[in-house]
Amino acid sequence: MLERGRGSHVWDADGNEYVDFMMSFGALIQGHAHPTLVSVVSEAMSQGSHFAAATSAEVEAAERFRHMVLSAEVVRFANTGSEATMLALRLARAHTGRTKFLKFEGHYHGWYDPYLLNAHGHAPEALGTPDNPARIPDSEGIPLTTFDDVVLAPWNDVAAMERIMHRHGYELAAVITEPLMANMGCIPPRDGYLQRLRELTRESGALLILDEVVTGFRYAPGGCQEYYGIRPDISTFGKALGAGFPVGAVAGPRAILDRMRWSDKMVLHYGTFNGHRLTMKVVAANLDLLSAPGTYRELHAMGDAAIAGLRDVFRRHKVKAIVQGFGPMFQIYFTDRDAIHDYRDYCACVDTNRYSRFVHSLLEHGIYMTPSNGLHWIISTAHAEADIEKLIRAADRACAGLA
Ligand SMILES: Cc1ncc(COP(=O)(O)O)c(C=O)c1O
């Protein structure tokens, strides 16, 4: 049980201290209790937390957001990433007049019913073939008819995507994708994959929804769409945007987002806490902090140092493991493979039990991380060289124990 956090460190109920590399599933891009954010919240709270009305705080947050994310002609705030992806699909359906959408195996877009298909890892023999994937709901309680509108496809495979888009593209409201697959650890797109997906969606009239809930404000000021040079039709954000406060956002062109304007045929997006004043204050302050020169260079350098150090530890101990990803987000896979390229590689070739044992051992050496191989290691602006050195020492000891 964790009791408190400061910077890159957390303390449990017994007073034990850990370096945190989980960072609230990546939400805490500024670490715990960042002094600027603490004072912003304290001051804002004393003036009233929320009015369920437009505030200057929301305008300031939106202005900063639009300045950083180039595709955001308009941004709309919600409370979670799940709400954002839910709204994105509704907008896409309203805009195109189509109902079906395509999601990729292994991609998680929140807990809204239609997205919960093959979002978790499963035994390889349960997956069917890439051409005819088995459709596996991730939750009880969802009517199977919900998935009638979902086209399921393997990710990172251009040929498969071309075939599927040829067959279904014309009937799709949207293709939704994470820019890098962040819910099977950290699986970057193959060179040119996202660009080809952009071409195919444009040709078919399906909107491209880039789900940047994990990657947004992490890899570059403008997210992975900036990093990879992709212009989505709609993109969704959460996590790092709120620096620990609950937030989601949908961004895109006015022609699509203006469908939420009041009219008989509007796209409905209600919610008592949308644009919550405290959250908006934090978002604006967080985006100011992230806009400071050198922020992303440092995040990348710190992450790359951790990745290089871990690779060196595994090599010295002759442990078959790869560290995949780059800069502020990465994952360790115990595998014989040189790389994990997709969901099927992950399900078939990664020793998730070994990973869990490794992470439990790191905990004994003062490193806090979740034992789920499907998540990822997060570097925040609060991490320092000493934290990375501690991680490398802990990994060294944990590897000795793995043998
Ligand atoms: C890519 C992606 N999209 C959407 C979500 C949902 O966000 P939230 O947990 O804030 O609802 C997540 C959560 O992990 C996610 O990883």
Side-chain angles (χ1 to χ4, degrees), residues 370-392:
T370 161
S372 165
N373 220 162
L375 288 157
H376 27 253
W377 292 69
I378 293 288
I379 301 296
S380 73
T381 60
H383 284 96
E385 272 173 32
D387 298 324
I388 307 302
E389 284 160 13
K390 183 165 180 176
L391 167 63
I392 305 306

Side-chain angles (χ1 to χ4, degrees), residues 146-181:
T146 304
F147 302 117
D148 289 351
D149 293 327
V150 184
V151 174
L152 186 66
W155 191 70
N156 235 354
D157 178 343
V158 168
M161 188 175 58
E162 285 173 343
R163 272 196 310 277
I164 291 169
M165 288 300 284
H166 188 66
R167 206 176 316 142
H168 294 285
Y170 71 95
E171 57 180 352
L172 297 176
V175 172
I176 184 165
T177 186
E178 300 176 61
L180 66 76
M181 198 172 179

Side-chain angles (χ1 to χ4, degrees), residues 76-94:
R76 173 84 171 191
F77 293 108
N79 301 290
T80 63
S82 297
E83 289 180 21
T85 56
M86 199 184 307
L87 176 60
L89 184 58
R90 185 175 291 175
L91 282 164
R93 283 172 160 164

Side-chain angles (χ1 to χ4, degrees), residues 80-82 108-110 178 183 211 213-214 239:
T80 63
S82 297
Y108 176 71
H109 301 293
E178 300 176 61
N183 285 285
D211 182 357
V213 168
V214 173
K239 296 195 192 263

